[in-house]
Amino acid sequence: MALRRLLLAVGDPLVDVLAAPAGLDVRVNNVVIVDPEDDAEAGAGDLVLLIGARGGAARHLVRSAARQGAAAVAVKVNAAARALAEEPSYPPPRGWGAPTPAVRSARDEFQQLRAAASEVGIALLAVRPEVRWDQLQSLCRSVLDDARLTTDTAELGESAGDLFSIAQTIATLTGGLVSIEDAASRVLAYSSGEEGDELRRLSILGRQGPEQYLALLREWGVFSRLRSGEEVVRIDERPELGIRRRLAVGIHAGAQPLGTIWVQEGAGPLADNAEEAMLGAARMTALHMLRHRTEMTLGLRLREDLLSGLLEGRIEAAALDDSIEVAPDRPALVVAFRLTSAGGRSAAEGPGRSGRELLRRRMIDLISVHTAAYRRTALTTMLGGRAYVLLPDLTGTSAESSVLALTRKTVEAARQVLGATVQAAVGSLVPALSDVPHSRAEADRILDAMGRDLAMDVATISDVRAQVLVSETLAHLRGSSTLRDPRVTRLVRHDADAGSELVESLVAYLDGFGDVRAAAARLHIHPNTLRYRVRRAEKVSGIDLGDPNQRLFAHLQLLMERGR
């Protein structure tokens, strides 16, 4: 079977892809364990489990396995060394401390091993340290012996649940009543609503469009137009037949029709952008409908895993060549979204865990609809509570501005449709897929700054570079108790005890670069009052504002204290 299918069965949390220079469709025929002290050799199509080899010996065995036609090599990798190898974007987690000489040595071995695998064109897999080799071999062999993977009922149920969620999202975006049907006009999912006409009622009750109505739609040429392309077809109201006005769009996988999205007008008119929303929804729904087919279910899941790996810098862009239909040497960027509040509460506080998960799912659906309408090749995934969109194949001088406009539109739609506050950050355009982790890291920096100090909904690094740098500096100050000037601390404590406003006044004065009149105007006080407060702040704290170093650090620490 293809390596990708084997990985779907035994991958996370046992195995990660480190390199796949020949893609993931290489054929795997057998699983063998190779010990550097034994004479065992790899054969064509083998997955080689490399036990106990380190340094130059491991690289030699990887090259040897490639020469013998092996499909892939699996090794165990030190987690700390691997994290260090992916600096500077993703350093080791906090708490690991400075890397030891042993970890640094392991990091160098890891980098050399991955380079060797890429050089000879063999897939390299990382096995988690806690996994036993015999356990992994037994599992892989059982999967290979089975030779055909199927989708279980739970996965099919999840796919259907996704379709109902998508239907509800389309309904809120278009202002209509939605149903999603397959190519045989069987109803797969539908939105809630009580304003349905006779056609909708009979279709939902019978789980299929009534034949007399289907015959009329064929006679009007609706189905032929839906099958021919991505045209949004309008069906006028027919009161005598009990049919209200409708919009319909075909769902396609390439040239193959998969079904139709129907949007019926309810009590009010459809939204102005209903057709655009339907186009994006059709493209996204095609991926979900394909999950009903085993091979595509597996492919979709692995593609999402690979995209996550690319964004995190864990795998090389070459591993996606045969999974994502984009050119690896074309410009791309990443947009990051974060759900910050719902119904006036922070996303961390409510409305309960299941409610938050449902809200995140709806947010992902909404983002996917908008981005798919903008670009067919857009890809969306969820990592660490944030939604990430990869927009590949971007060209032209207006690409970044158009993505920024799309992002603003998506955030506004989230506010209107979900009743939630969403923040978004647009990473810089990078020249190739291999540079995508840098765009993602930049978007994360912006979102982190938004969460700490920036009251913004959408931003790029060019918009807020200085604010991000200051925010990161303040975060560093907050994290180190030794970076404190006791004179500033004394001033903050005085304000708290006396109920005075010396800190706010001094910050306004420093923000205004000493322009007393402008700072006083922002505080709505007389300039003489501000002068008095500044002199009083100097006396209470002992800070000499005439000293540029004292003035600079006092300003930073006061901003930190005010943010806290």
Side-chain angles (χ1 to χ4, degrees), residues 167-181:
Q168 196 63 45
T169 299
I170 301 169
T172 52
L173 289 173
T174 61
L177 304 174
V178 176
S179 60
I180 300 175
E181 300 179 1

Side-chain angles (χ1 to χ4, degrees), residues 84-394:
L84 284 175
E86 291 160 357
E87 285 188 319
S89 297
Y90 295 93
R94 190 176 292 177
W96 280 6
T100 65
V103 170
R104 288 196 296 269
S105 176
R107 173 195 60 187
D108 295 339
E109 287 183 11
F110 164 73
Q111 291 173 326
Q112 293 168 5
L113 192 61
R114 186 159 66 174
S118 298
E119 179 185 344
V120 297
I122 192 170
L124 182 65
L125 310 179
V127 180
R128 305 291 171 86
E130 63 272 19
V131 178
R132 298 199 325 267
W133 285 113
D134 60 337
Q135 171 195 13
L136 181 61
Q137 183 188 37
S138 175
L139 180 58
C140 290
R141 280 183 172 169
S142 68
V143 173
L144 287 168
D145 288 342
D146 190 15
R148 185 174 68 181
L149 299 174
T150 57
T151 305
D152 60 31
T153 55
E155 290 175 85
L156 286 175
E158 180 184 351
S159 179
D162 285 345
L163 286 179
F164 275 90
S165 175
I166 291 171
Q168 196 63 45
T169 299
I170 301 169
T172 52
L173 289 173
T174 61
L177 304 174
V178 176
S179 60
I180 300 175
E181 300 179 1
D182 65 12
S185 297
R186 292 185 292 261
V187 178
L188 302 176
Y190 50 88
S191 65
S192 59
E194 300 179 356
E195 298 294 332
D197 59 13
E198 186 69 3
L199 172 55
R200 177 179 171 84
R201 187 181 69 83
L202 293 175
S203 297
I204 292 176
L205 288 177
R207 307 299 293 179
Q208 187 170 18
E211 181 53 42
Q212 65 269 29
Y213 287 104
L214 298 180
L216 285 175
L217 294 174
R218 284 192 290 269
E219 179 184 333
W220 297 337
V222 172
F223 286 125
S224 61
R225 292 170 66 187
L226 291 173
R227 286 193 297 269
S228 63
E230 291 188 318
E231 175 189 6
V232 177
V233 179
R234 301 173 184 82
I235 299 96
D236 292 333
E237 184 178 15
R238 299 293 180 98
E240 70 279 10
L241 300 175
I243 300 177
R244 293 185 184 176
R245 178 177 176 245
R246 271 173 171 72
L247 297 178
V249 65
I251 305 168
H252 298 268
Q256 180 183 3
L258 298 178
T260 308
I261 297 176
W262 298 89
V263 177
Q264 178 218 302
E265 192 172 66
L270 297 177
D272 293 338
N273 64 337
E275 294 189 16
E276 180 184 358
M278 289 180 67
L279 180 61
R283 295 172 179 174
M284 183 186 68
T285 305
L287 298 178
H288 289 267
M289 290 181 68
L290 287 169
R291 287 181 177 172
H292 289 279
R293 306 178 184 191
T294 300
E295 203 62 39
M296 289 307 299
T297 299
L298 302 176
L300 266 175
R301 188 188 308 148
L302 181 58
R303 188 175 73 165
E304 291 179 359
D305 291 343
L306 290 173
L307 175 57
S308 298
L310 176 67
L311 292 177
E312 291 179 324
R314 291 188 286 106
I315 65 171
E316 298 170 338
L320 283 77
D321 283 354
D322 51 10
S323 303
I324 300 176
E325 297 178 2
V326 296
D329 56 349
R330 300 281 296 278
L333 62 75
V334 174
V335 184
F337 294 84
R338 180 181 62 179
L339 182 68
T340 60
S341 67
R345 293 172 294 184
S346 72
E349 293 174 349
R353 180 173 181 180
S354 60
R356 291 197 305 273
E357 290 304 317
L358 176 60
L359 195 59
R360 286 195 185 99
R361 180 67 257 173
R362 292 185 64 197
M363 179 183 73
I364 285 286
D365 289 343
L366 184 145
I367 292 169
S368 299
V369 166
H370 279 78
T371 53
Y374 171 76
R375 188 164 296 273
R376 179 189 296 276
T377 51
L379 296 163
T380 306
T381 192
M382 199 81 178
L383 284 173
R386 293 180 178 181
Y388 295 92
V389 177
L390 171 63
L391 292 168
D393 296 340
L394 297 177

Side-chain angles (χ1 to χ4, degrees), residues 384-422:
R386 293 180 178 181
Y388 295 92
V389 177
L390 171 63
L391 292 168
D393 296 340
L394 297 177
T395 56
T397 56
S398 62
E400 290 178 280
S401 60
S402 62
V403 170
L404 184 59
L406 167 71
T407 305
R408 294 188 189 282
K409 181 178 180 181
T410 305
V411 168
E412 179 60 27
R415 181 182 295 107
Q416 295 179 357
V417 172
L418 306 180
T421 300
V422 173

